[in-house]
Amino acid sequence: MTLFTGLSAFPITPANQSGRVDTDALRTLISRLAGSGIDSIGLLGSTGTYMYLSRDERARAIESAIAEAAGRVPVIAGIGALRTDDAIALAGDAKALGAAAGLLAPVSYTLLSENEVFEHFAAVAGESGLPIVIYDNPGTTHFRFTSELIARLARLPGIVAAKNPTVTPDDSPAHLATLRAQVPPGFSVGYSGDWNCVEALIAGADAWYSVLAGMFPTVCVNLARTAREDSVEARRLNAALTPVWDLMRQHTGLRVIYALAERLGIRAEPPRPILPLAERVKQQVLDTFDALSETLDQSGVI
């Protein structure tokens, strides 16, 4: 598999409430992922709380993750920032530390226009020299990429892939077909939103950018591979994970995964003002994952 195909696993970034990354805990997560059969690690994504970390702490996270991955699996690092010059600097840091690519979202306070987003991406890709994955995450940025904008960006040197959100399972094949018709050959079209991604994979999407894989890679590796070979079995496995998808939709993947981290011996809470799940809900999460232990193939972790 090439870098921008297959399964990309997105772990949390354990840190204390002062924003200091717990590199030992992060390396524990990366070690689990690197030997699992995934195709890349999506470090410092939204689940990795990149926007809550300083430039120095992001660099510490990238350095630790790449050292632990030790060439076994490439690392794509989140480089989003409010200011273009800051995103360029973060991309430069990621490249210098050995990241294979940067994941760039149009982070904003003031709503951005399509032209502003185009110029932002062009500057980061052009000035950093780091391959860039377009990160379309309207739930956090409040900006939604049109297929026309992605097609414009895909023709810029250094912009190599897109990580698209999924709205519903039924919408993904049509969205994929529309993008395929507009982007250059070889440009990678991938999807996030774990609960909807199986249909995108069955339709031929290049990549699945997965939150669940950041904690439970084995079941996601199996699902991603099965979607290429046996759509009936892939849909059956995806349906078996419905209780997990329901929890992630209701409480966000970030909060659900943080609730499970302690089972790996990782004591971490999301950065304030994000609050951990209430104990009642946390117990519901734990009970749900316990009931699915065989499906998740958790190797005794839960």
Side-chain angles (χ1 to χ4, degrees):
M1 299 292 260
T2 60
L3 173 58
F4 306 108
T5 62
L7 177 65
S8 188
F10 279 66
I12 63 171
T13 309
N16 65 21
Q17 287 299 335
S18 297
R20 180 74 170 173
V21 173
D22 183 343
T23 54
D24 289 339
L26 179 59
R27 290 179 73 135
T28 295
L29 290 172
I30 299 302
S31 179
R32 281 169 49 85
L33 297 177
S36 67
I38 62 169
D39 298 287
S40 64
I41 293 170
L43 189 74
L44 299 173
S46 294
T47 303
T49 56
Y50 69 105
M51 283 301 295
Y52 297 87
L53 297 172
S54 69
R55 179 180 174 182
D56 287 346
E57 290 304 309
R58 292 204 216 184
R60 290 182 68 241
I62 295 169
E63 183 176 30
S64 297
I66 290 175
E68 188 61 41
R72 291 177 289 171
V73 60
V75 172
I76 302 169
I79 56 169
L82 284 168
R83 294 176 57 92
T84 299
D85 50 356
D86 289 340
I88 292 168
L90 289 163
D93 292 345
K95 182 180 180 183
L97 291 165
L103 183 65
L104 181 60
V107 180
S108 66
Y109 180 80
T110 299
L111 187 63
L112 301 175
S113 70
E114 285 206 358
N115 188 58
E116 288 167 335
V117 170
F118 180 86
E119 295 297 336
H120 178 66
F121 275 72
V124 176
E127 296 186 37
S128 72
L130 182 71
I132 299 299
V133 178
I134 298 167
Y135 185 11
D136 186 2
N137 189 1
T140 59
T141 65
H142 309 293
F143 180 90
R144 182 67 192 263
F145 284 81
T146 62
S147 59
E148 291 79 12
L149 178 56
I150 291 176
R152 286 180 65 200
L153 289 168
R155 287 171 170 78
L156 292 177
I159 299 184
V160 295
K163 175 182 181 290
N164 300 283
T166 54
V167 179
T168 70
D170 293 340
D171 290 340
S172 299
H175 183 269
L176 175 62
T178 298
L179 274 184
R180 286 267 193 254
Q182 296 183 61
V183 300
F187 182 85
S188 172
V189 180
Y191 289 86
S192 60
D194 285 356
W195 42 90
N196 292 327
C197 277
V198 70
E199 293 301 328
L201 293 172
I202 290 170
D206 295 303
W208 173 19
Y209 298 93
S210 172
V211 171
L212 185 65
M215 186 71 75
F216 301 109
T218 303
V219 67
C220 297
V221 168
N222 184 30
L223 180 55
R225 290 176 177 170
T226 303
R228 310 290 189 196
E229 303 163 359
D230 185 342
S231 61
V232 173
E233 176 59 17
R235 289 178 175 125
R236 186 201 66 78
L237 179 55
N238 189 62
L241 293 169
T242 296
V244 173
W245 304 148
D246 288 346
L247 285 170
M248 293 173 73
R249 275 196 298 257
Q250 183 176 359
H251 303 293
T252 72
L254 183 153
R255 292 181 178 89
V256 168
I257 296 301
Y258 265 96
L260 294 162
E262 192 171 337
R263 292 288 184 92
L264 295 182
I266 295 170
R267 301 188 64 83
E269 292 186 357
R272 292 183 295 180
I274 303 170
L275 296 176
L277 294 176
E279 285 302 316
R280 172 186 56 80
V281 179
K282 181 178 178 181
Q283 191 58 53
Q284 179 189 2
V285 170
L286 297 176
D287 291 345
T288 298
F289 277 75
D290 283 343
L292 289 171
S293 60
E294 184 174 348
T295 299
L296 292 164
D297 187 16
Q298 298 162 35
S299 304
V301 172
I302 288 185

